[in-house]
């Protein structure tokens, strides 16, 4: 049995495939998940890693299922593995696998599992694949996913199957439309503060990945900044001025001036470009930026005149490092 740290992505994918075939797990051939999971599991280097998988397989037969759990058991010997299924399975489990009979659509069940066994490094929904159950599980378990952890939803093709509550409608509560919601969650910094994003997701979705039949969501909480909002541009300006303070390249002056122009701090933008021009007197890029700045400022003055408003809000000048 190999430890995660000993495995390359190819090693993991090969071993994953071998074990899935051995235990008749449909994560290969039926689906092409080997490399997908290799990219998720190989980088994890936790002291006490934990996996939660929804769905044991075998449907309502209490003596059937468990294929993926046997695969995970051999593939992840250092992991604590928790599995839940709505059917009370009467199967034997390896030492580090815990089975719980629970309903993935029941918030109380999910909350109990998260509090008692979480937080988890990876959560995999391979359960009923009923669209409303998928959404309920993500809503209920995402708070119990570790920072940097990944939530996986398998078999998302049921989004299009009526028997699973699927639909081709863009307005239906399908997993496909849930994935579209996740796109909004990733870009929450660009959305109004009153846009309907659940609190657990507003600043916590770092990445959403799509592959045939599967979606993954990576969790990382951060107040992300947007270049479409003045507050975000202010932060970018401060960050750029700090990072570029010791750099003496044309790009330094162009970038700082661009942010200042977006903030309508035109005099400072001009000062910045002229400082750059002193170092790079032959720079065509800086000459063009100065010309563009004049056009932008004149347009702004004209728009302000039409609206009878001020030419721009006064801002405290920012220091450019060594000019």
């Amino acid at each position: 049995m190999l430890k995660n740290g000993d495995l390359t992505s190819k090693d993991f994918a090969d071993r994953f495939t071998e074990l899935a075939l051995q235990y008749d797990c449909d994560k290969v051939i039926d689906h092409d998940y080997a490399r997908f999971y290799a990219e998720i599991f190989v980088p994890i280097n936790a002291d006490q890693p934990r996996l939660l998988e929804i769905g044991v397989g075998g449907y309502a037969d209490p003596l059937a299922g468990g294929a993926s759990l046997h695969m995970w058991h051999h593939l992840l010997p250092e992991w604590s593995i928790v599995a839940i299924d709505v059917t009370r399975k009467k199967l034997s489990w390896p030492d580090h696998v815990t089975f719980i009979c629970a309903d993935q659509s029941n918030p109380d069940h999910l909350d109990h599992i998260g509090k008692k066994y979480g937080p988890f490094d990876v959560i995999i929904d391979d359960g009923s694949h009923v669209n409303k159950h998928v959404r309920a599980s993500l809503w209920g378990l995402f708070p119990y996913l570790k920072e940097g952890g990944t939530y996986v939803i398998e078999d998302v093709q049921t989004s299009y199957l009526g028997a699973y509550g699927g639909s081709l409608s863009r307005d239906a509560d399908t997993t496909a439309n849930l994935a579209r919601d996740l796109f909004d969650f990733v870009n929450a910094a660009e959305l109004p503060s009153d846009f309907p994003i659940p609190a657990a997701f507003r600043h916590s979705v770092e990445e959403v990945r799509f592959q045939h039949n599967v979606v993954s969501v990576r969790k990382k909480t951060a107040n992300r900044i947007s270049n479409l909002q003045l507050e975000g541009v202010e932060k970018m300006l401060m960050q750029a001025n700090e990072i570029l303070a010791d750099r003496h390249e044309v790009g330094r002056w162009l970038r700082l001036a661009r942010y200042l122009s977006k903030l309508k701090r035109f005099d400072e933008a001009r000062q910045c470009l002229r400082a750059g021009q002193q170092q790079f007197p032959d720079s065509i890029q800086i000459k063009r930026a100065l010309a563009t700045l004049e056009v932008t400022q004149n347009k702004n003055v004209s728009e302000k005149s039409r609206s009878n408003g001020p030419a721009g809000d006064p801002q405290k000048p920012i220091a450019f490092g060594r000019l």
Side-chain angles (χ1 to χ4, degrees):
M1 295 185 296
L2 295 173
K3 296 181 179 179
N4 270 18
D6 300 325
L7 292 171
T8 66
S9 291
K10 184 180 184 304
D11 291 335
F12 186 99
D14 289 346
R15 182 66 171 148
F16 182 102
T17 300
E18 177 188 339
L19 290 167
L21 293 173
Q22 178 180 340
Y23 290 105
D24 192 25
C25 174
D26 69 357
K27 296 185 194 298
V28 300
I29 300 183
D30 297 61
H31 303 289
D32 185 19
Y33 294 162
R35 286 177 295 175
F36 181 84
Y37 276 119
E39 293 180 9
I40 291 172
F41 280 96
V42 169
I44 296 175
N45 188 26
D47 290 333
Q48 295 179 319
R50 300 175 184 177
L51 166 65
L52 169 63
E53 184 162 44
I54 302 169
V56 170
Y59 299 98
D61 185 345
L63 298 177
S68 66
L69 291 176
H70 286 290
M71 179 193 72
W72 292 127
H73 161 65
H74 290 290
L75 190 59
L76 306 171
E78 298 178 305
W79 286 59
S80 294
I81 300 171
V82 176
I84 70 171
D85 199 286
V86 71
T87 298
R88 191 175 300 279
K89 298 292 181 176
K90 298 178 181 179
L91 301 170
S92 59
W93 308 107
D95 290 341
H96 62 116
V97 174
T98 300
F99 171 77
I100 302 163
C101 183
D103 182 348
Q104 73 172 106
S105 66
N106 186 313
D108 292 335
H109 289 189
L110 301 179
D111 192 53
H112 168 75
I113 291 164
K115 287 178 177 177
K116 184 171 182 178
Y117 299 99
F120 301 98
D121 296 88
V122 179
I123 299 175
I124 299 172
D125 184 351
D126 190 17
S128 71
H129 308 307
V130 172
N131 285 251
K132 64 180 181 180
H133 294 174
V134 171
R135 187 177 291 261
S137 298
L138 178 63
W139 260 226
L141 291 171
F142 196 76
Y144 299 106
L145 184 67
K146 288 183 183 179
E147 282 290 309
T150 301
Y151 192 106
V152 178
I153 304 172
E154 293 187 3
D155 296 292
V156 297
Q157 71 275 15
T158 59
S159 294
Y160 313 117
L161 302 179
Y164 292 83
S167 169
L168 294 177
S169 171
R170 293 288 202 242
D171 299 320
D173 287 335
T174 64
T175 304
N177 289 329
L178 172 61
R180 295 182 182 97
D181 290 341
L182 291 168
F183 178 91
D184 291 333
F185 300 170
V186 172
N187 294 288
E190 276 70 38
L191 299 175
S193 59
D194 60 351
F195 191 89
I197 295 179
F201 294 88
R202 177 161 285 277
H203 300 294
S204 299
V205 180
E206 180 186 38
E207 176 186 89
V208 180
R209 292 182 58 213
F210 302 88
Q211 185 174 301
H212 188 220
N213 294 166
V214 65
V215 174
S216 67
V217 187
R218 182 174 170 83
K219 180 177 183 178
K220 186 175 181 180
T221 303
N223 288 320
R224 295 170 179 85
I225 59 178
S226 170
N227 64 359
L228 300 182
Q229 298 179 3
L230 292 182
E231 180 182 1
V233 178
E234 285 278 9
K235 291 179 180 178
M236 291 175 187
L237 175 61
M238 294 177 64
Q239 183 180 7
N241 191 56
E242 180 179 347
I243 292 173
L244 301 174
D246 295 322
R247 298 178 72 102
H248 301 284
E249 302 155 332
V250 170
R252 171 193 180 189
W253 311 106
L254 295 174
R255 180 180 295 272
L256 293 173
R258 184 171 73 251
Y259 294 151
L260 288 164
S261 180
K262 283 187 176 183
L263 294 168
K264 300 182 180 181
R265 293 161 62 172
F266 300 114
D267 290 341
E268 291 176 72
R270 188 177 295 104
Q271 176 192 358
C272 177
L273 289 171
R274 286 176 176 167
Q277 198 170 42
Q278 290 177 8
Q279 291 188 24
F280 303 97
D282 298 325
S283 172
I284 295 176
Q285 292 173 293
I286 291 179
K287 290 178 182 178
R288 287 177 176 172
L290 281 165
T292 300
L293 178 63
E294 293 301 319
V295 173
T296 303
Q297 184 174 16
N298 290 337
K299 181 179 179 181
N300 179 70
V301 170
S302 176
E303 290 174 350
K304 290 295 183 180
S305 297
R306 286 197 298 271
S307 63
N308 296 319
D313 296 330
Q315 299 282 348
K316 181 179 178 181
I318 190 166
F320 296 115
R322 292 193 291 274
L323 296 180

